[in-house]
Amino acid sequence: PPAAPAPPPAAPLSAALSGPFPGGRVVRLHPVVLASIVDSFERRNEGAARVIGTLLGTVDKHSVEVTNCFSVPHNESEDEVAVDMEFAKNMYELHKKVSPSEIILGWYATGHDITEHSVLIHEYYSREAHNPIHLTVDTSLQNSRMSIKAYVSAPMGVPGKTMGVMFTPLTVKYVYYDTERIGVDLIMKTCFSPNRVIGLSSDLQQVGSASARIQDTLTMVLQYAEDVLSGKVAADNTVGRFLMDLINQVPKISPEDFETMLNSNINDLLMVTYLANLTQSQIALNEKLLSL
């Protein structure tokens, strides 16, 4: 695909931020974005020092939420940088067909600092989004951690003379959907695996582990309440209010009704499971009969 030096004389793809940066200057980042950035870095071309890409998401009154991204091919040398504009435009058009609510928010780059080439690429994205965000992900693990920072740019210098760009840091917060939380929890379990590999557990195992965690938590809460009543631990009004809210959220139902409801739900689940297995066996038998 053709590549051209940045910034290119291309028409804007979208006006992402229609006004000034929202109050609070907060960037809400989803884990799928970080996973995509790390994956593109691991799959980078041989000899490439870093990878760049486009950030997609939504804007509200208080923050900018980054929910998706895609990598953009580019080449860097000591004197110039080239970005594949056509690829970036086509990828964004494809993303709009799937998620029309996601707009261009800015761009990301791997590395722990902002280079001179970053200014040129940022100028290109200024044509795609008003006041774009620049996200840096330190895949080189400086200070033994993956530092993630976000910036917005502001012009600085003497009007009519030499002008420069100043990058101002923003607050980065990590958010997730419920489905993303499941994936993050599963990835975290690989830290305790010797070969860094872990398999998916069944639904029954998930219920069992969740019940065990709830039981351990209730044991801790009960022990804390007994220590407060016996005078071993000083009472904390904040903790008491949290516990009262927790108790008020539990529905009032008699043990007999709860047992009847639980048994009924379990019977329904077992019946659905039995019918699913029966259907699967019938389909397998039908395939064997047709192949004879």
Side-chain angles (χ1 to χ4, degrees):
L13 296 181
S14 82
L17 306 183
S18 56
F21 199 89
R25 309 177 71 83
V26 175
V27 176
R28 297 161 59 87
L29 196 60
H30 283 255
V32 67
V33 177
L34 300 178
S36 179
I37 293 174
V38 173
D39 180 67
S40 62
F41 178 77
E42 291 295 327
R43 298 171 182 269
R44 70 189 186 278
N45 294 331
E46 186 177 356
R50 64 174 184 169
V51 295
I52 68 170
T54 301
L55 298 175
L56 303 174
T58 57
V59 181
D60 58 26
K61 295 181 180 179
H62 306 290
S63 63
V64 170
E65 189 162 349
V66 184
T67 56
N68 210 337
C69 69
F70 59 86
S71 61
V72 177
H74 84 297
N75 293 316
E76 287 185 272
S77 62
E78 294 183 1
D79 345 355
E80 62 180 6
V81 55
V83 180
D84 193 338
M85 305 170 299
E86 193 65 26
F87 180 89
K89 182 177 180 180
N90 292 337
M91 283 294 293
Y92 177 60
E93 293 296 331
L94 291 173
H95 271 76
K96 279 202 304 184
K97 294 181 180 179
V98 179
S99 302
S101 61
E102 292 181 345
I103 55 179
I104 296 178
L105 300 178
W107 66 291
Y108 71 82
T110 56
H112 65 281
D113 56 355
I114 297 176
T115 65
E116 294 180 358
H117 292 166
S118 298
V119 178
L120 296 175
I121 301 174
H122 196 79
E123 189 176 338
Y124 158 65
Y125 276 94
S126 297
R127 300 167 180 259
E128 309 300 322
H130 176 69
N131 202 8
I133 301 167
H134 177 34
L135 184 75
T136 60
V137 180
D138 183 14
T139 50
S140 60
L141 301 181
Q142 297 283 333
N143 301 322
S144 300
R145 66 188 305 270
M146 185 179 291
S147 177
I148 300 168
K149 299 179 181 179
Y151 305 89
V152 287
S153 66
M156 63 174 296
V158 180
K161 304 291 183 179
T162 303
M163 296 292 291
V165 176
M166 178 179 64
F167 285 88
T168 306
L170 304 171
T171 302
V172 178
K173 292 186 177 181
Y174 306 102
V175 296
Y176 50 81
Y177 300 125
D178 291 339
T179 50
E180 292 176 324
R181 173 64 183 270
I182 297 174
V184 171
D185 290 343
L186 187 63
I187 292 174
M188 290 179 63
K189 292 180 181 179
T190 59
C191 298
F192 308 102
S193 176
N195 56 359
R196 300 291 183 179
V197 176
I198 190 169
L200 295 173
S201 55
S202 64
D203 293 342
L204 187 58
Q205 290 175 332
Q206 291 282 0
V207 173
S209 60
S211 302
R213 288 196 300 269
I214 293 177
Q215 186 175 6
D216 294 340
T217 305
L218 291 176
T219 303
M220 294 174 57
V221 171
L222 183 60
Q223 184 62 44
Y224 173 79
E226 292 177 350
D227 291 343
V228 171
L229 293 176
S230 62
K232 294 181 180 179
V233 179
D236 188 339
N237 294 333
T238 304
V239 177
R241 284 191 289 270
F242 278 125
L243 293 179
M244 183 58 68
D245 292 340
L246 176 63
I247 293 174
N248 291 333
Q249 290 177 4
V250 177
K252 294 181 180 180
I253 184 173
S254 64
E256 294 78 12
D257 293 340
F258 177 78
E259 185 176 0
T260 302
M261 181 179 63
L262 179 62
N263 291 334
S264 176
N265 289 334
I266 290 178
N267 289 334
D268 292 342
L269 177 62
L270 292 176
M271 180 62 68
V272 171
T273 304
Y274 172 75
L275 292 176
N277 292 332
L278 183 62
T279 303
Q280 185 178 7
S281 301
Q282 186 175 2
I283 292 174
L285 181 61
N286 185 46
E287 290 180 351
K288 290 184 178 297
L289 292 176
L290 291 177
S291 61
L292 293 178

